[in-house]
Amino acid sequence: MARIPAESISPVKEARVLDGISPYFLHFDYRQAGQEALGCLVVNHPIRKALYEEVEALTNVQVMTDTAITSINLGNNGVSVLLSNGETIEAALIAAAAGRFSETRRKAGIPAVMRDFGNTAIVCRMKHDKPHHHIAYECFHYPHQYRCCRQER
């Protein structure tokens, strides 16, 4: 984390998971975990910049921009990859960290199971007028029929 500026890192000391309008919540505390923090929230751009700087410094890695994988041929003794610039790369192993919508994964014939849970999340960076005390809040709003059933218990 030496490459990531301290102002881009916010430790999470507590987490509170709320269930709709219920006054009760799950509570996680760094002191009970015996740690300095439960984790950290880090702004995305400095993470990507730091990773790029680390990879760029490696002599055995070639960074290729504006290039896409056109096709992948998986064989018993390795893999060959055809790139959009016409170049072919052969290797013993291919690794792709491109997420669940990865074209590379799909072209390699690796399936993925995806479920739409019908939820919406808002993720953003904001400035607070009041201190947040390093508490992360997660709130779920379940359909009305579930809240009614839960309250009747």
Side-chain angles (χ1 to χ4, degrees), residues 18-150:
L18 299 98
D19 180 4
I21 59 174
S22 172
Y24 303 104
F25 56 86
L26 289 174
H27 182 238
F28 302 94
D29 191 308
Y30 75 104
R31 292 169 289 232
Q32 292 172 332
Q35 303 291 322
E36 287 185 31
L38 297 174
C40 293
L41 296 176
V42 183
V43 179
N44 190 36
H45 179 73
I47 293 173
R48 295 170 60 108
K49 183 176 183 280
L51 286 172
Y52 178 79
E53 290 170 355
E54 286 290 328
V55 169
E56 186 182 44
L58 298 173
T59 58
N60 61 342
V61 174
Q62 178 184 357
V63 176
M64 302 175 80
T65 60
D66 297 324
T67 306
I69 293 176
T70 303
S71 65
I72 300 172
N73 183 13
L74 302 174
N76 291 332
N77 298 319
V79 60
S80 65
V81 177
L82 178 62
L83 302 177
S84 59
N85 64 6
E87 186 179 344
T88 298
I89 299 174
E90 294 183 359
L93 174 71
I94 182 173
R100 67 180 176 204
F101 299 116
S102 170
E103 279 295 308
T104 304
R105 177 197 49 74
R106 189 186 60 72
K107 287 176 181 167
I110 301 169
V113 176
M114 293 182 242
R115 291 189 179 92
D116 182 353
F117 291 99
N119 293 327
T120 303
I122 299 172
V123 179
C124 62
R125 185 177 183 189
M126 63 179 70
K127 186 173 183 172
H128 298 266
D129 289 336
K130 297 180 180 178
H132 54 74
H133 305 291
H134 301 283
I135 300 172
Y137 290 90
E138 191 168 347
C139 183
F140 295 94
H141 290 280
Y142 295 102
H144 179 68
Q145 68 268 21
Y146 296 125
R147 280 190 284 190
C148 291
C149 295
R150 295 172 76 110

